[in-house]
Amino acid sequence: NAGVTQTPKFRVLKTGQSMTLLCAQDMNHEYMYWYRQDPGMGLRLIHYSVGEGTTAKGEVPDGYNVSRLKKQNFLLGLESAAPSQTSVYFCASSHGTSARYEQYFGPGTRLTVT
Amino acid sequence: RKEVEQDPGPFNVPEGATVAFNCTYSNSASQSFFWYRQDCRKEPKLLMSVYSSGNEDGRFTAQLNRASQYISLLIRDSKLSDSATYLCVVNMKGGSQGNLIFGKGTKLSVKP
């Protein structure tokens, strides 16, 4: 099992460009999450999904959109990148509600917006 | 008051030492508590859940104090491989619902 994978691993964007980050999991998990991690800020939840076809906003959703068309995939989109979106993005998945079940994280995507 | 607070450290300790980290949380209705470990430039991984009665996993002991709203992690006989950042994690809403709030982490460096 690969667990949770993320593509790409690194990316540099210019302000105003768009991109999509792909997260895939092979554990048949229902729940999936997107976080960002900034120095001194800890992990913050951007969006999450409790099942195929459903998404919900987290703590810092502005400037991002997500889609969960297939159970195993969770896409994070930046429509018009801004320097404030420079961060490390982690995807995670869990069997059920994160309050009870371990979250498994992907290796992260390091994004720089210039 | 911030939702989950941790001393950022760093805690610099020699091999074999015992070290303890504390974490405070603001939501008195929170029910689920965890410690995650994050190595430098890697993803977080679950270290252990924290149960009401306290729990132990090898050299690691986790305690919960609901009255004072804090969680602790004790590491005995520290190893070089324990060097990492330890994240305190609490569920945001009461009961078993809601999403997790991550603390900023406490950095541990174990020296030879």
Side-chain angles (χ1 to χ4, degrees), chain A residues 28-103:
Chain A
N28 202 34
H29 284 168
E30 290 293 334
Y31 287 55
M32 296 188 74
Y33 315 82
W34 275 108
Y35 292 92
R36 60 178 289 173
Q37 187 173 36
D38 303 295
M41 292 296 293
L43 282 153
R44 291 183 291 169
L45 184 65
I46 304 171
H47 286 279
Y48 65 101
S49 168
V50 301
E52 182 179 317
T54 71
T55 62
K57 293 180 180 180
E59 180 186 355
V60 288
D62 294 342
Y64 305 95
N65 56 75
V66 288
S67 63
R68 183 104 181 263
L69 299 179
K70 293 183 179 181
K71 184 177 183 178
Q72 64 268 33
N73 294 340
F74 195 28
L75 278 63
L76 178 71
L78 285 72
E79 289 186 348
S80 179
S84 61
Q85 294 178 305
T86 293
S87 188
V88 180
Y89 291 86
F90 288 103
C91 175
S93 71
S94 62
H95 178 68
T97 173
S98 59
R100 288 191 183 142
Y101 295 93
E102 176 181 357
Q103 288 195 8

Side-chain angles (χ1 to χ4, degrees), chain B residues 18-51:
Chain B
T18 295
V19 61
F21 309 134
N22 286 334
C23 162
T24 57
Y25 60 94
S26 60
N27 188 340
S28 61
S30 295
Q31 294 290 325
S32 301
F33 310 92
F34 310 89
W35 284 102
Y36 276 70
R37 169 195 168 127
Q38 186 172 24
D39 293 317
C40 188
R41 299 180 73 82
K42 298 287 189 180
E43 71 272 23
K45 293 183 179 179
L46 179 67
L47 177 66
M48 59 196 303
S49 300
V50 184
Y51 301 120

Side-chain angles (χ1 to χ4, degrees), chain B residues 88-106:
Chain B
C88 174
V89 185
V90 177
N91 86 307
M92 190 175 68
K93 296 182 183 177
S96 60
Q97 302 305 311
N99 290 309
L100 300 179
I101 298 295
F102 286 75
K104 296 177 184 179
T106 297

